Amino acid sequence: MKIAIVTFEGFNEIDSFVALHILNRVKREGWKAEIVAPSGSVTSMNGVTVHTQQPFSFVNQADAVLFGSGKLTRSVIQDKKLMSGFQLDPSRQLIGSQCSGALVMKRLGLVENTPICTDLVTRPWLIKSGAQVIDQSFMAKGNIATAGGCLSSQYLAAWVIYRSLGRKAVEEALSHVAPVGEEQRLVERAFAVIEASIDTSSSNRLAAV
């Protein structure tokens, strides 16, 4: 399972790093989440510079693609050359966004006629674009998901794991990062959130994993 965490200049560290860490708690052969960006390195909104782990073209090959947010996302989506580099396919890829990452999803036409979750700052810009924004932390429809609020990145990561490997793998990954003594509560909360908007049958798994 190849997972791309798409990270732009001015990114929010929580969005990219929390999802990256939780996803990489899964120990399966061939499973790896990696930071992908349009350049060799990107600097966060708080001045943390990271080197990308895969070239930008990796997003089109990945089995799952997650768009993190950041303070420059509105500028990013105006870059026509950059946007044209995305050749995503929701019929074979899990694709999700965190907060302002939903602007990228909207620009790419991935969330048309689909309720969207985002943060409070991004909300009016999505509404202005004609999107249907809902007041909740996570929403999934088929292979598309959106999350709103920095700490909801745990739900986005859990959704990818759930759709790929099932409940047990989610329990294992989240138990590793939960506050001590709160493991069961965190896991149960995650399941309540993600299962509320997805088909929980085994047929909903990704066949490629």
Side-chain angles (χ1 to χ4, degrees):
M1 183 75 169
K2 299 181 293 186
I3 306 167
I5 309 293
V6 184
T7 303
F8 299 110
E9 191 70 19
F11 71 95
N12 182 315
E13 303 93 341
I14 295 177
D15 294 359
S16 292
F17 295 156
V18 170
L20 179 80
H21 184 86
I22 292 175
L23 286 164
N24 281 326
R25 282 289 184 172
V26 174
K27 304 304 178 184
R28 301 286 194 283
E29 184 177 355
W31 180 287
K32 191 172 186 180
E34 298 178 277
I35 298 290
V36 177
S39 57
S41 65
V42 284
T43 300
S44 76
M45 60 196 305
N46 291 304
V48 178
T49 299
V50 297
H51 296 288
T52 55
Q53 297 171 284
Q54 288 285 353
F56 182 64
S57 59
F58 179 73
V59 296
N60 300 323
Q61 308 163 17
D63 302 301
V65 179
L66 300 182
F67 292 100
S69 74
K71 65 179 183 179
L72 301 177
T73 311
R74 284 171 53 205
S75 297
V76 167
I77 63 173
Q78 300 305 319
D79 187 332
K80 293 182 179 179
K81 182 178 180 181
L82 175 59
M83 291 294 102
S84 66
F86 290 107
Q87 301 296 323
L88 305 182
D89 182 359
S91 70
R92 67 169 185 83
Q93 294 174 301
L94 293 176
I95 307 172
S97 67
Q98 180 75 39
C99 296
S100 68
L103 291 170
V104 183
M105 302 269 278
K106 184 69 170 66
R107 180 55 60 94
L108 295 175
L110 295 168
V111 287
E112 300 305 316
N113 303 313
T114 301
I116 300 173
C117 299
T118 190
D119 63 285
L120 296 178
V121 174
T122 306
R123 181 187 182 99
W125 296 102
L126 281 167
I127 292 175
K128 186 177 180 180
S129 73
Q132 178 189 353
V133 181
I134 55 176
D135 187 23
Q136 62 188 59
S137 60
F138 178 84
M139 177 69 188
K141 183 177 181 181
N143 287 349
I144 298 294
T146 55
C150 297
L151 294 179
S152 64
S153 54
Q154 62 182 300
Y155 303 141
L156 205 54
W159 171 72
V160 171
I161 299 170
Y162 187 106
R163 285 294 312 279
S164 305
L165 300 172
R167 289 179 61 97
K168 183 62 176 178
V170 175
E171 293 173 3
E172 292 173 353
L174 292 184
S175 293
H176 282 298
V177 301
V180 173
E182 299 180 21
E183 294 88 351
Q184 183 175 354
R185 193 185 336 174
L186 186 144
V187 169
E188 289 177 351
R189 175 58 182 167
F191 281 138
V193 170
I194 64 176
E195 290 184 339
S197 62
I198 65 175
D199 177 4
T200 60
S201 68
S202 58
S203 61
N204 201 40
R205 300 275 186 83
L206 281 185
V209 178

